[in-house]
Amino acid sequence: MFLSVFDMFKVGVGPSSSHTMGPMVAAARFLDKMRAAPFACAGVHGTLHGSLAFTGVGHATDRATILGLAGFLPETYDHEKAEATLEEIRATHTVSPPGLPVLAFNPKEDLVFDFGPNLPGHANGMILRATDSQGDVILQETYYSIGGGFVMTEAELAAGRNTDEGDPVPYPFKTAAEMLDMAERSGKTIAEMKRANEISRNGQVHLTSGVKRIWQVMNDCIERGMTTDGILPGGLNVKRRAKGIHDALVAERGTNLNAPHKINDWMSVYAMAVNEENAAGGQVVTAPTNGAAGVVPAVIRYWLDHVPGANEAQVEDFLLTAAAIGGLVKWNASISGAEAGCQAEVGSAAAMGAAGLAAVLGGTPTQIENAAEIALEHHLGMTCDPVKGLVQVPCIERNGLGAIKAVSAASLALRGDGTHLVPLDACIETMRQTGVDMSEKYKETSLGGLAVNVPNC
C-alpha cells in the first residue's frame, strides 16, 4: 500500500476537501472527458446527491462545481478571478472552459440538489452530463468524492481503484503491525521508510521541494488567520477569534501571570487560525481533510515555537510520519466525515499530529504508533454535525482541541516504552465499525446533533 505524502497533504481551497475540492476536481475530470469525446458538446448540467446535496450550500459545493466546469483547479485557485468568473457565468448562463466551446449552463437550473437516496457508491455523489445543441445527453459520468479531495468515478470505485496499491515500493505496509515489523527488521524509522517509498516514485527533488511548499502554505495560512478579523461568510455571523486571541497572548508574554495551561491557548489559536481561513474559502492544505486542516499545522507550529531544540529541517520527518499514519487510516477505514463522522477527520488528524510530534521528539516506531493510537482512540464516536452545513461550528474549535489531544497523546506515549494494550490497527478498525453503525444524520448531513439544536439563522 502506498499513499503519497502529497495525497494526504494537498494544497487546495476551503471550506471542505470532500465537498469543495472534490467536486471541483470531478468537474475538471469531466471537462477532460468532454475534450476527449467525439461529440460536439453544447451544454452541461449536473446533480448533487447525498451529503453533497444536504450540506452543499454551506460547503460551497455548488460554487466549486461551477468553477470546476469553468476550468478552475484547487491547487491553482485564484479567489479574485473566481469571483469575476462566477459573475460572468450568472450573467451569460454559459461557461467557457479551456479547450472546449462555450457551453450553455444556467447555475440556477442546471445544477440540481437531489435530496433523495444516496447514490450507491458513497455518501458524496454527483452526476455530470454534457448535452448537444438539441439538449440531448451525449455524455454522462458519476463521480464520488471519497474524502480528503480524492475523487473516483463510479467505474473506478466499483473496480476497487480506491484500494489500488500501485507500483511496488521499498517498504510496503498496509497495517501498523506490518509497519512496525518492517521498521524493526530494517532498523529504519517510519519517516525513513516513508521517504524511501516517496523517492522511489518521484525522486528526492520532488519530495524536498514539495514538502517545503506544503509547510509554507500551512504556515502562511496560520499567519493569515492570526492577522485577519471580521465575520465569516455563510450566514451564521460567526466572528473570527484567532486574531484577538493571538493579540492577547502576545500582550501577555513576559508577565508573571501566565498559568501553565495557557500553552493550550497557543495550540488552539494556531489551529483556529487555519480553520477560520478554511471557513472563509482561503487556501489551505488537506491534513488529511479541510475540515481537519488545522490540527497538524498547529502541532508543528507549537513544536517549532514552544519546544526547545525544535528545528524546521525536521518538518519533513514530521510530515512523512504523519502521512504514513494517515495512509493507514484511509486504507483501512476512512478520512471522510460523510462516511464515518468527525472521528474520521479530526480524529485522523490528531493521530497524524501525535505521530509526527512523537517522531521529531525522538520517539521509537512503537512509541509513535502508541501516540497515534491514543489520539485516535479518544475521538472514537465523534459525529459530524455542522450547523447550517458550514465548516464553522463546531469545526473551528474542534481543531484546536484536536491539536491539544495530539500533543498530549505524543507526550503520554513518550513517557512509556511503546508497550500498550490497544494496537493502532484495532483502533482504526473500531473507528471503521463505528462509522458503519453511526446514524446517517450524524455524518455531515446537518440532520442531527448541534445542527438541529442550535438556531442557525
Side-chain angles (χ1 to χ4, degrees), residues 336-360:
S336 167
E339 194 171 28
C342 198
Q343 59 174 356
E345 296 203 30
V346 171
S348 299
M352 293 164 66
L357 182 59
V360 296

Side-chain angles (χ1 to χ4, degrees), residues 29-41:
R29 289 190 62 182
F30 191 65
L31 293 182
D32 287 338
K33 191 178 182 74
M34 292 170 67
R35 294 183 186 105
F39 315 112
C41 300

Side-chain angles (χ1 to χ4, degrees), residues 46-402:
T47 53
L48 304 172
H49 300 261
S51 181
L52 294 185
F54 284 106
T55 62
V57 173
H59 285 116
T61 304
D62 47 351
R63 171 193 171 92
T65 305
I66 294 165
L67 290 172
L69 290 172
F72 282 75
L73 289 169
E75 59 266 28
T76 56
Y77 179 78
D78 183 312
H79 180 73
E80 291 185 5
K81 184 178 178 181
E83 289 299 313
T85 300
L86 285 170
E87 286 300 316
E88 183 179 352
I89 292 169
R90 294 186 187 110
T92 65
H93 291 173
T94 62
V95 289
S96 304
L100 285 166
V102 174
L103 303 170
F105 178 75
N106 182 346
K108 290 186 177 180
E109 297 178 2
D110 294 325
L111 188 61
V112 176
F113 290 81
D114 188 325
F115 298 102
N118 292 353
L119 296 179
H122 192 276
N124 293 331
M126 60 191 296
I127 300 174
L128 297 176
R129 304 174 182 88
T131 57
D132 61 17
S133 57
Q134 305 301 312
D136 295 327
V137 175
I138 54 176
L139 200 63
Q140 176 173 310
E141 187 62 85
T142 298
Y143 295 96
Y144 293 108
S145 180
I146 61 174
F150 292 89
V151 172
M152 293 280 171
T153 66
E154 184 175 43
E156 288 169 347
L157 200 62
R161 283 285 300 279
N162 60 319
T163 57
D164 183 6
E165 298 184 39
D167 296 331
V169 292
Y171 300 97
F173 49 84
K174 298 180 184 178
T175 66
E178 291 178 358
M179 177 183 73
L180 293 178
D181 179 65
M182 204 165 286
E184 183 176 3
R185 287 189 286 110
S186 67
K188 293 184 178 294
T189 66
I190 295 170
E192 287 170 341
M193 294 191 297
K194 185 68 174 167
R195 181 177 290 107
N197 290 345
E198 294 284 343
I199 292 173
S200 74
R201 290 289 181 90
N202 297 304
Q204 179 69 65
V205 173
H206 176 77
L207 174 63
T208 302
S209 62
V211 168
K212 184 177 180 180
R213 180 175 184 242
I214 290 297
W215 170 237
Q216 186 67 58
V217 174
M218 285 179 169
N219 201 37
D220 287 348
C221 190
I222 292 174
E223 291 297 327
R224 288 196 311 274
M226 293 194 303
T227 55
T228 306
D229 54 17
I231 304 298
L232 293 171
L236 284 181
N237 294 318
V238 172
K239 182 181 178 181
R240 284 180 179 249
R241 290 185 292 156
K243 181 180 185 300
I245 296 171
H246 178 255
D247 290 348
L249 287 169
V250 170
E252 292 164 7
R253 279 176 172 165
T255 70
N256 293 322
L257 304 175
N258 283 324
H261 64 255
K262 197 163 286 186
I263 192 62
N264 290 338
D265 296 344
W266 280 103
M267 287 183 255
S268 291
V269 79
Y270 297 143
M272 290 170 66
V274 172
N275 285 87
E276 288 177 356
E277 280 295 293
N278 179 61
Q283 187 181 59
V284 297
V285 176
T286 63
T289 67
N290 281 29
V295 177
V296 168
V299 176
I300 296 176
R301 185 65 181 264
Y302 155 76
W303 166 63
L304 289 173
D305 287 5
H306 302 278
V307 178
N311 184 344
E312 195 162 332
Q314 289 182 280
V315 168
E316 183 172 295
D317 280 355
F318 189 115
L319 291 175
L320 285 169
T321 305
I325 299 302
L328 292 176
V329 177
K330 185 182 186 306
W331 183 265
N332 294 295
S334 176
I335 58 170
S336 167
E339 194 171 28
C342 198
Q343 59 174 356
E345 296 203 30
V346 171
S348 299
M352 293 164 66
L357 182 59
V360 296
L361 292 178
T364 64
T366 54
Q367 288 174 317
I368 292 167
E369 184 259 2
N370 187 17
E373 187 280 324
I374 293 170
L376 182 59
E377 179 181 341
H378 298 290
H379 284 87
L380 290 177
M382 182 174 280
T383 61
C384 184
D385 52 351
V387 176
K388 204 178 178 181
L390 301 170
V391 192
Q392 297 180 17
V393 179
C395 320
I396 294 170
E397 287 180 352
R398 187 169 283 176
N399 274 257
L401 273 293

